[in-house]
Amino acid sequence: MRYQVVTTAVGAVTIRHMDLEETIHPSGPALESIETYVKQSKLRDKLLSEDSKPLVIFDVGLGGAANTSAAVDCWKDLRLQGGKPRNLEIYSFENDLSVLGFTLENIQKFHHLNSNLEILETLVNEKIYEMPGLRWEILEGEFEDRMSSLARKVLPHAEVIFHDPYSPLKNPNMWDLKTFNNLRDQSTDNCVLVTFSQATRVRAALIAAGFYVGHGTGLGMKRESTVASTAIGLLEVPLETTWINKWANSDSAFPHDVDLKMRDEFEAKLRSQFMKWVRPGNL
């Protein structure tokens, strides 16, 4: 069996990918989707801003759709409370919809998805769901292909990015410099990117790609996550000035697509980007 429903050490019911030996949302999909992704991306505030443009989310790694379903719930709740949230557009990048299919087959274990069950069933069959104020599309296939120069011409720029593929150890291509360069090129000037990883090489790739990077909250066994942005003012806890020393002393300092010949160039770019914004006055 490729997937199993499991209960983690913290008592959360979630899904384990048996081939990769990786547990998805080990602190629980309902909790992580809200605490790590929705809250840290400042989604509610962004939805209530006076910007007339739709709020665009790039959902990198749809998986069981916990993060994006929580985002839709946030949008729905604002409407039920009498608010007037901005229109919401979601683009979910996923090369394997089997996790979502398995999740829906076991929906009785994942009550946090019940409010959007009709939407998710439509997405599985048609890859797109639309209603007044909401548009959600699944972009199936390899991320690099979907983010090609041609695709970027028709994709809107993202104001929120949920970066939630399998871990850097299991899925290194989704955490490399090229991936974050693509995302930075397709981001608005007030974009917030949230990811569960706190890996030094991931933060280095984000910085080299042009993001400001800070500490995010942790859940369960995980000490912290990472929040990045195209505007430093959106970070609550930017990295310390001493982080660059941690990077220099790390055994895992470089993204996997930065080979030995590229390391000097990468380091120069990283240090240049880092010193533009990480100063005592920013902390």
Side-chain angles (χ1 to χ4, degrees):
M1 183 177 294
R2 193 177 185 190
Y3 306 107
Q4 282 188 3
V5 177
V6 297
T7 302
T8 67
V10 297
V13 177
T14 187
I15 293 171
R16 183 167 176 81
H17 193 305
M18 303 306 291
D19 295 339
L20 294 180
E21 298 183 338
E22 186 156 307
T23 301
I24 302 170
H25 292 293
S27 294
L31 180 64
E32 287 192 28
S33 61
I34 295 171
E35 297 296 327
T36 301
Y37 293 92
V38 170
K39 288 186 177 179
Q40 293 196 117
S41 66
K42 304 181 187 296
L43 182 65
R44 186 179 187 279
D45 292 341
K46 284 178 172 290
L47 284 169
L48 290 175
S49 73
E50 295 182 358
D51 194 328
S52 61
K53 296 179 181 178
L55 192 155
V56 175
I57 296 176
F58 279 6
D59 170 40
V60 185
L62 171 68
N67 299 332
T68 34
S69 183
V72 171
D73 283 341
C74 179
W75 177 80
K76 287 180 176 179
D77 288 345
L78 290 172
R79 285 162 55 103
L80 287 172
Q81 293 165 13
K84 295 183 179 179
R86 296 161 59 188
N87 289 353
L88 180 61
E89 292 184 13
I90 300 172
Y91 296 86
S92 291
F93 297 85
E94 181 58 76
N95 68 348
D96 184 358
L97 294 177
S98 61
V99 179
L100 181 56
F102 180 82
T103 301
L104 295 179
E105 289 171 5
N106 294 273
I107 193 66
Q108 71 278 4
K109 302 287 183 64
F110 303 110
H111 303 297
H112 61 286
L113 298 177
N114 285 340
S115 58
N116 294 309
L117 183 56
E118 179 185 347
I119 295 176
L120 295 173
E121 289 175 341
T122 301
L123 282 169
V124 167
N125 294 320
E126 302 178 17
K127 307 302 185 292
I128 190 168
Y129 178 90
E130 292 185 273
M131 63 174 285
L134 174 66
R135 184 180 189 277
W136 186 351
E137 181 176 356
I138 293 178
L139 301 176
E140 190 174 6
E142 294 298 326
F143 178 77
E144 186 175 332
D145 295 336
R146 286 297 192 172
M147 289 294 285
S148 66
S149 57
L150 179 61
R152 287 205 301 270
K153 291 179 181 178
V154 297
L155 280 173
H157 283 65
E159 192 173 336
V160 169
I161 299 172
F162 295 158
H163 196 75
D164 194 19
Y166 291 112
S167 69
L169 180 64
K170 305 293 185 178
N171 192 15
N173 288 345
M174 291 304 299
W175 303 88
D176 60 18
L177 180 60
K178 186 172 185 178
T179 292
F180 292 126
N181 277 332
N182 277 328
L183 288 172
R184 179 62 182 85
D185 289 345
Q186 205 65 23
S187 299
T188 65
D189 59 7
N190 64 334
C191 178
V192 175
L193 179 152
V194 185
T195 183
F196 66 85
S197 177
Q198 60 171 317
T200 299
R201 67 176 63 181
V202 169
R203 289 176 171 177
L206 283 163
I207 294 169
F211 286 97
Y212 302 110
V213 177
H215 301 279
T217 58
L219 288 173
M221 304 289 288
K222 200 162 189 60
R223 185 164 52 87
E224 63 179 61
S225 55
T226 295
V227 181
S229 179
T230 54
I232 192 168
L234 293 175
L235 295 181
E236 294 185 2
V237 189
L239 296 180
E240 304 84 357
T241 54
T242 54
W243 179 87
I244 198 70
N245 299 323
K246 175 183 178 180
W247 174 82
N249 293 317
S250 174
D251 293 330
S252 302
F254 297 93
H256 91 103
D257 60 339
V258 176
D259 60 27
L260 288 172
K261 294 181 293 184
M262 300 168 60
R263 289 189 173 185
D264 288 345
E265 180 182 353
F266 178 87
E267 180 171 357
K269 186 171 185 180
L270 172 67
R271 289 183 179 275
S272 174
Q273 292 290 110
F274 187 74
M275 295 314 298
K276 284 181 181 178
W277 53 277
V278 182
R279 303 182 187 282
N282 289 337
L283 303 180

